[in-house]
Amino acid sequence: MSACALCPRDAPDGQHACHLHADDLRGWLAELPTQARWLEEFVAPSASPAQGRMGGTGRADAPVPVDMRVLTLLAPGHAEPPADRDEDDDETVPLLAFLGSWAGHIAYHYPAASRDAYGTARTQPCDQAWPRQGQEWPRRCETIPGWCAWLTAYLPFTLTLPPVTVAQFHRQLDAVVHRVRDLTHAVPHRHPQAAPCPDCEAFALVRTDGKWGITCEACGHYLEPDAYDEHAARFLEALQAPAPDQTPAA
């Protein structure tokens, strides 16, 4: 087993994030495209212009001012490479640029095998990331959903990068997602589970939309869905078992 770059838990061999923090990354990447659509609603016209009293097409009311943070998040923009980004910088970064810069950083470390004109096999870093969309006619798709799909597909490789890189990716993506949630006021639904935690026995196991596993909010214990189903079945069986006969012997 390897060590998690973010907590004392163990990580799968060759990776540097435990199941809990890897699940965070998958959940955030699955959530961002929907959050981006909600951000777009802030800048899209809510209705067609109202007709004025004199037959014109002026608005009945003045348009609602748009939060500049929303415009910045949805702008094409530019983001510093992940390695050069200041962890303490609270500046809003465009989502498209942020995701693209991380994809490019990851792609640079991904080994690409090719042969030159003389047939010699060579392995070198990829030139850049190429998000694709569609099966019959693949095309480049530099959109928020396209980059999120690319980052999700390459996440197993990303988790094998140096621990400092894995931790940086988790912290920065966490900050971006929470910045967006502060604007949309939308958070994934949490679903408390019926069985107690097998580790601390607290009734604090929660399944969150977009995340694969189930986490105890009391002690942080993590369960895969199949493991939880087996644990819940044993717990239910124990509840339904008849109580032992307490009648004293004659």
Side-chain angles (χ1 to χ4, degrees), residues 48-72:
S48 57
Q51 182 173 350
R53 292 183 178 180
M54 302 301 294
T57 57
R59 286 181 177 269
D61 301 301
V64 177
V66 178
D67 192 321
M68 290 302 297
R69 294 173 297 175
V70 175
L71 295 179
T72 301

Side-chain angles (χ1 to χ4, degrees), residues 97-119:
F98 170 80
L99 296 169
S101 68
W102 263 109
H105 182 74
I106 293 164
Y108 180 76
H109 292 85
Y110 193 84
S114 62
R115 291 186 181 274
D116 61 20
Y118 302 99

Side-chain angles (χ1 to χ4, degrees), residues 14 47 82 124 134 155 178 218 246:
Q124 60 187 22
L155 187 58
H178 282 82
Q246 300 297 323

